Amino acid sequence: MTFYLLLLCRFSLGMVVGHGVRCLSQLAELPELHQMMRQTCRDYAQKELAPIAAQLDKDHRFPAKQVQELGAMGVMAVEVPESLGGAGMDYLAYCLAVEELSRGCASTGVIVSVNNSLYLGPILKFGTEEQKKQWITPFTTGEKVGCFALSEPGNGSDAGAASTLAQREGDEWVLNGTKAWITNCWDASATVVFATTDKSLKHKGISAFLVPMPHPGLSLGKKEDKLGIRASSTANIILEDCRIPLGNMLGERGMGFKIAMQTLDSGRLGIAAQALGIAQAALDCAADYAHKRTAFGAPIGKLQAIQFKLADMALATESARLLTWRAAMLRDAKKPFTKEAAMAKLAASEAATFVSHQAIQVLGGMGYVTDMPAERHYRDARITEIYEGTSEIQRLVIANNILKEYQQ
Amino acid sequence: MSARVLVGVKRVIDYAVKIRVKPDRTGVVTDGVKHSMNPFCEIAVEEAVKLKEKKLVKEVVAVSCGPQQVQETIRTALAMGADRGIHVEVSGKDYETLGPLQVSKILAALAKKEQADLIILGKQAIDDDCNQTGQMTAALLDWPQGTFASEVNIEADKLKVVREIDGGLETIKINLPAVVTADLRLNTPRYATLPNIMKAKKKKIANVKPADLGVDVSSRLEVLKVDEPPQRQAGVKVETVHDLVGKLKEAGRI
């Protein structure tokens, strides 16, 4: 008996120690499963996305075929359990997938990220079993994508000031208002919309709703003509007497703000991963050019000025990557990760803009023309410091957490 | 059909890597160099998995010979849809000198042991370009072979194989059990899906030693030296066909 108790204790201790050791060693080297997954996404991105990324950007074209192929691979619903049609993998795997895909095409990266984190994420966490079957399963295959409607023309960072109204009329909710900057909306078949059910309660009066697209009372504004990530559609969603059944409320009444904030906590890791992919692609481009371009009688990679740039670019990217992995691992271990996620998103997005800026500098004139992808990385990078929480908001989140830690 | 397919997969230096010869000229640098599954082996795995999906075969077994690292290659085959793997442990000097003769002996022994009905291999490996293993395996087993296959169909108890040959395409019908080697146009290998990568982790890889199969892996060949191909020289422009013929004669080419 004692022997078996001892065995049980050793086993439990082993699990605790093993778990901690596994987490640490994951930062040093990914587990085999994650390596295989990363390789498959990298292969796909390099063979199927990278060759068409420039044209997709030029045509502002949604990569429907590729999204379907990614759906078949399970990448459109990485964290969704297999019972609902997803891949049933963890968030670290998801971040790896988004980074590798974004390295090939940043627009495809954000399409995948929005579907996974911003659309499927909240439904997975807050939806009823019935809602999950209806709103998750059809969106795992790549046939349909979803979007997330929080921002409005009057408020982005100030999410609590939502002015889109939801009024109950009999057995329906009636939505009225305008949502702005909604990624994927022209290609989406459903959206998670945030509207206020009680303005007097301010942010505690916001609720979340599921609306199919197209739907009477829901119309789309013109596609924004963006600086970058042009293959993904961005537009306003206009709600005019948009009627949905009561069963379309996600979570409890008044829970909307909490749902939005928790969703964005995770979503910002997806964006961090996208930014890492852009940074890595820009670094790939610059390093390759440094080998090939000769000036002053040798490849420019021999010049210290270029070497210092490459070193700084690699450092920024790798640091942000470790922050992203750590935040994802904390989330997977169900530990608090808000501060780390904000740090990851901030670091990765600033790395993306820094690295892509320097990549153009390394390429010189060639960096300024569309013959090389450097200019596209530069344009794609910029949005990562803005959406899913501006860099300023990330700093507020980090500061708030630090001050809490040091509470007197 | 109770068919069991054996698919051979080889771990080779990735096709995109620039090959460098070792300073001692005994081989090429493999340490720290990216390796992946031989592209023709990927096509072989894909074909086997497709046959399974069409319910023409029951089980796909992926086999690889080499050191610990080849398990990654076997796992890739499992992630593509193979059911289980066999890792034939060969390492050190034996691995350096491992070639088609030894591998075909191993595959023949495994085919008998596993009671395989079909062996699918890549037509050749991109590192040694031998193009021998499939043919040798068939000879050792006294099985028919369909090499350079660009199309494979099972019709009743026979295999219809369309082969890519110098003159065009040749269609043959061979009895099962048989050996098929895959050529480039046989199929387009699938990307491993995430659920399959997850499932691959649970699939079994058995470990076997060549001695267990009664195979002697000592090489009959000795590599004397390995050199880089000569640097490509600049060409010469000529004005007339007459000049061209003259230059070719000069160079001893005709």
Side-chain angles (χ1 to χ4, degrees):
Chain A
M1 186 61 175
T2 332
F3 173 74
Y4 290 110
L5 270 170
L6 264 161
L7 208 64
L8 200 68
C9 290
R10 274 190 63 200
F11 183 67
S12 311
L13 184 69
M15 276 184 82
V16 167
V17 170
H19 183 74
V21 169
R22 196 192 67 202
C23 280
L24 266 173
S25 65
Q26 264 173 285
L27 279 176
E29 195 184 275
L30 294 166
E32 196 191 349
L33 199 72
H34 292 76
Q35 283 189 39
M36 286 181 74
M37 204 232 100
R38 192 185 198 193
Q39 191 60 49
T40 215
C41 289
R42 184 174 295 183
D43 287 342
Y44 185 86
Q46 294 312 309
K47 289 196 193 118
E48 310 287 341
L49 295 177
I52 60 168
Q55 199 59 43
L56 286 174
D57 170 76
K58 216 170 174 179
D59 298 339
H60 297 231
R61 183 166 56 91
F62 183 78
K65 173 167 177 269
Q66 287 68 28
V67 167
Q68 287 206 9
E69 287 170 353
L70 289 168
M73 284 168 72
V75 172
M76 294 305 286
V78 180
E79 226 193 356
V80 172
E82 285 192 66
S83 55
L84 287 167
M89 293 184 91
D90 60 18
Y91 219 66
L92 178 61
Y94 162 66
C95 289
L96 293 166
V98 174
E99 182 186 336
E100 292 302 330
L101 295 174
S102 303
R103 191 177 176 182
C105 172
S107 302
T108 309
V110 76
I111 292 166
V112 170
S113 179
V114 165
N115 196 59
N116 269 281
S117 292
L118 299 188
Y119 174 72
L120 294 172
I123 305 173
L124 204 57
K125 199 161 180 198
F126 298 98
T128 63
E129 288 314 306
E130 206 35 63
Q131 283 174 332
K132 285 183 198 172
K133 275 198 211 101
Q134 190 190 343
W135 300 91
I136 289 187
T137 308
F139 292 78
T140 59
T141 61
E143 295 281 333
K144 297 187 180 192
V145 297
C147 60
F148 178 87
L150 176 65
S151 291
E152 297 175 356
N155 49 271
S157 294
D158 191 6
S163 65
T164 302
L165 287 172
Q167 283 155 312
R168 179 152 172 187
E169 278 181 24
D171 57 354
E172 285 180 322
W173 285 107
V174 185
L175 305 174
N176 275 287
T178 309
K179 293 295 187 182
W181 311 120
I182 312 307
T183 305
N184 279 355
C185 74
W186 270 89
D187 308 288
S189 302
T191 178
V192 178
V193 179
F194 295 86
T196 184
T197 36
D198 202 331
K199 255 212 143 175
S200 63
L201 294 176
K202 301 228 177 95
H203 68 270
K204 290 210 174 106
I206 299 174
S207 307
F209 300 91
L210 297 163
V211 185
M213 292 164 76
H215 194 71
L218 187 152
S219 57
L220 300 174
K222 73 159 183 29
K223 272 196 216 181
E224 303 290 352
D225 188 8
K226 305 191 294 289
L227 176 66
I229 55 161
R230 299 210 284 221
S232 92
S233 55
T234 309
N236 286 0
I237 289 181
I238 300 136
L239 302 155
E240 288 169 304
D241 271 352
C242 180
R243 290 169 184 275
I244 48 173
L246 289 179
N248 281 31
M249 177 178 273
L250 182 67
E252 303 290 320
R253 183 176 175 149
M255 223 186 190
F257 189 75
K258 178 174 133 184
I259 294 175
M261 292 303 110
Q262 286 192 20
T263 302
L264 288 171
D265 263 354
S266 298
R268 58 192 47 140
L269 285 176
I271 297 305
Q274 184 205 18
L276 289 174
I278 298 171
Q280 190 62 50
L283 178 58
D284 293 343
C285 183
D288 185 63
Y289 196 77
H291 269 303
K292 295 184 174 143
R293 169 73 176 173
T294 53
F296 302 100
I300 60 172
K302 296 270 183 216
L303 300 166
Q304 280 191 340
I306 301 297
Q307 289 177 356
F308 287 176
K309 280 189 204 299
L310 293 174
D312 290 337
M313 288 156 79
L315 174 62
T317 311
E318 196 61 34
S319 318
R321 184 173 290 129
L322 288 176
L323 277 169
T324 307
W325 288 7
R326 181 151 180 272
M329 278 155 50
L330 284 169
R331 185 186 183 282
D332 286 334
K334 305 216 192 306
K335 299 249 162 60
F337 69 101
T338 304
K339 181 183 74 167
E340 288 78 5
M343 286 175 152
K345 201 265 191 187
L346 180 58
S349 53
E350 292 191 344
T353 45
F354 168 73
V355 175
S356 54
H357 179 114
Q358 291 302 321
I360 292 188
Q361 203 63 17
V362 169
L363 265 62
M366 283 310 290
Y368 204 64
V369 294
T370 55
D371 302 57
M372 296 290 274
E375 58 82 29
R376 191 182 76 245
H377 301 322
Y378 186 73
R379 290 186 289 105
D380 286 340
R382 198 59 190 83
I383 190 63
T384 62
E385 287 195 57
I386 297 170
Y387 61 11
E388 283 192 52
T390 59
S391 297
E392 290 69 32
I393 291 290
Q394 305 305 335
R395 287 186 163 90
L396 289 179
V397 170
I398 298 168
N400 279 334
N401 275 278
I402 293 176
L403 287 167
K404 250 189 247 164
E405 285 167 30
Y406 285 85
Q407 197 98 58
Q408 299 299 319
Chain B
M1 194 172 225
S2 63
R4 176 173 292 141
V5 186
L6 227 60
V7 182
V9 294
K10 188 179 182 187
R11 180 174 183 263
V12 298
I13 295 179
D14 188 83
Y15 76 91
V17 169
K18 181 160 198 284
I19 308 291
R20 267 169 238 288
V21 176
K22 283 202 282 209
D24 62 7
R25 290 157 90 207
T26 56
V28 298
V29 178
T30 54
D31 274 341
V33 170
K34 180 166 185 232
H35 285 67
S36 38
M37 188 190 291
N38 181 41
F40 294 107
C41 297
E42 281 182 358
I43 298 175
V45 174
E46 175 66 24
E47 197 60 22
V49 173
K50 270 183 141 143
L51 287 172
K52 193 176 97 164
E53 285 170 348
K54 283 190 221 162
K55 299 218 197 305
L56 293 170
V57 303
K58 254 222 180 123
E59 195 188 28
V60 177
V61 183
V63 181
S64 194
C65 305
Q68 187 60 24
Q69 292 95 310
V70 307
Q71 295 220 359
E72 289 166 24
T73 315
I74 300 175
R75 268 207 210 285
T76 307
L78 295 175
M80 283 173 74
D83 296 293
R84 59 184 167 90
I86 300 176
H87 170 201
V88 182
E89 293 167 1
V90 181
S91 49
K93 198 81 184 81
D94 283 340
Y95 181 58
E96 281 171 39
T97 56
L98 193 66
L101 182 61
Q102 302 98 308
V103 173
S104 56
K105 285 181 183 171
I106 291 170
L107 289 176
L110 277 173
K112 288 198 192 114
K113 182 161 177 268
E114 297 287 332
Q115 295 176 306
D117 302 284
L118 179 60
I119 299 177
I120 309 182
L121 307 173
K123 70 169 179 182
Q124 66 198 61
I126 60 169
D127 50 10
D128 54 24
D129 284 325
C130 283
N131 188 348
Q132 295 168 3
T133 308
Q135 294 87 333
M136 284 177 170
T137 310
L140 287 168
L141 287 165
D142 196 24
W143 286 6
Q145 57 185 263
T147 53
F148 311 103
S150 65
E151 216 182 294
V152 173
N153 279 305
I154 298 186
E155 288 179 7
D157 267 345
K158 296 194 196 290
L159 213 62
K160 192 165 109 179
V161 182
V162 178
R163 305 179 58 232
E164 293 198 7
I165 60 173
D166 286 344
L169 296 173
E170 180 194 55
T171 307
I172 60 171
K173 223 178 205 171
I174 54 179
N175 290 328
L176 286 163
V179 176
V180 168
T181 72
D183 209 323
L184 193 64
R185 278 157 283 269
L186 181 57
N187 59 49
T188 309
R190 63 193 62 192
Y191 291 100
T193 66
L194 269 48
N196 278 344
I197 292 176
M198 295 269 282
K199 286 190 192 123
K201 198 163 188 215
K202 297 186 194 123
K203 294 178 184 173
K204 289 209 183 334
I205 300 181
N207 290 310
V208 154
K209 292 197 173 53
D212 299 339
L213 299 167
V215 174
D216 162 29
V217 288
S218 53
S219 179
R220 292 358 183 208
L221 302 171
E222 186 194 335
V223 172
L224 297 175
K225 69 172 159 84
V226 177
D227 278 322
E228 296 213 353
Q231 281 278 21
R232 201 184 157 125
Q233 300 295 319
V236 175
K237 259 178 146 166
V238 293
E239 295 295 312
T240 68
V241 173
H242 186 79
D243 290 341
L244 177 62
V245 173
K247 283 259 186 261
L248 287 170
K249 279 194 177 149
E250 245 176 67
R253 301 291 190 211
I254 51 171

